[in-house]
Amino acid sequence: PEFNRSLETERDALELLQTKQIGTEETSPRPAFFGYHNNIAILGQSAIIGRSFHQRTSATIQCPIAGNVVDTLTNLASQSVDRRHSNKDKLTRSLESLMDRLTEIYRLSDFHIGFLRSQISAVKYSTPNCPTVIQHGDPHTYNVLVTDDGQAGLVDWEAYDPQGMPLWDLLFFVRAYCM
């Protein structure tokens, strides 16, 4: 039961993707059934027929498979833009929290800390609100399957956010790919 929330979140993500017609049956799992048995969540979903990203990538900057993942993540964001839930205060708090965590983990120079804090401040005082997008939440390379024709499919949607930050997934993937 302690993992029920993860499966409930994944179900919510897959249902939203299907409702918004984001992805195809070949590249996006579809929910088949959901329920509980003895207070344990059970989620059935369609499979993406493909191989792991690591089996298909050339691990170079020119890798067409990595480029396809970038396109997939960019399309996910652009197809799910929602300006109704824009909230600069929430975004600013999230960025400030991430900044605090960053400075706990890494030793940044005063210049870099100042620069990043000024960028967060610019978001806080910008005129238009930042839109939200559907965010996968964990687009690490191990959560990407590649179809025979080279299309990227994302699996493991348990960390998704229906009101995520634009292009956050793209940053996450590029970081994971470069490591």
Side-chain angles (χ1 to χ4, degrees), residues 92 95-96 114-126:
T92 301
L95 291 172
E96 287 170 344
F115 173 78
L116 291 172
R117 293 217 184 271
S118 72
Q119 298 305 301
I120 293 170
S121 181
V123 168
K124 183 176 185 175
Y125 296 108
S126 63

Side-chain angles (χ1 to χ4, degrees), residues 25-147:
E25 289 186 20
E26 290 78 28
T27 62
S28 183
R30 301 297 189 207
F33 61 84
F34 181 82
Y36 297 89
H37 179 71
N38 291 333
N39 199 30
I40 297 174
I42 300 171
L43 172 63
Q45 56 186 275
S46 63
I48 296 176
I49 307 302
R51 294 187 301 171
S52 74
F53 176 82
H54 293 283
Q55 291 175 321
R56 297 289 307 270
T57 184
S58 64
T60 66
I61 197 165
Q62 298 89 5
C63 177
I65 302 298
N68 191 283
V69 178
V70 167
D71 291 344
T72 297
L73 293 170
T74 303
N75 289 335
L76 171 63
S78 66
Q79 292 173 357
S80 65
V81 170
D82 187 349
R83 298 188 186 286
R84 296 172 299 153
H85 297 105
S86 302
N87 186 330
K88 284 189 288 190
D89 293 332
K90 178 184 173 189
L91 175 60
T92 301
R93 284 192 305 275
S94 294
L95 291 172
E96 287 170 344
S97 176
L98 288 170
M99 182 66 191
D100 291 342
R101 185 75 176 124
L102 178 71
T103 57
E104 286 174 15
I105 297 171
Y106 298 102
R107 294 182 190 174
L108 300 176
S109 70
D110 289 341
F111 171 79
H112 289 112
I113 291 172
F115 173 78
L116 291 172
R117 293 217 184 271
S118 72
Q119 298 305 301
I120 293 170
S121 181
V123 168
K124 183 176 185 175
Y125 296 108
S126 63
T127 304
N129 278 332
C130 183
T132 61
V133 299
I134 295 174
Q135 184 176 316
H136 179 276
D138 186 16
H140 200 285
T141 55
Y142 51 73
N143 284 330
V144 178
L145 292 177
V146 183
T147 64

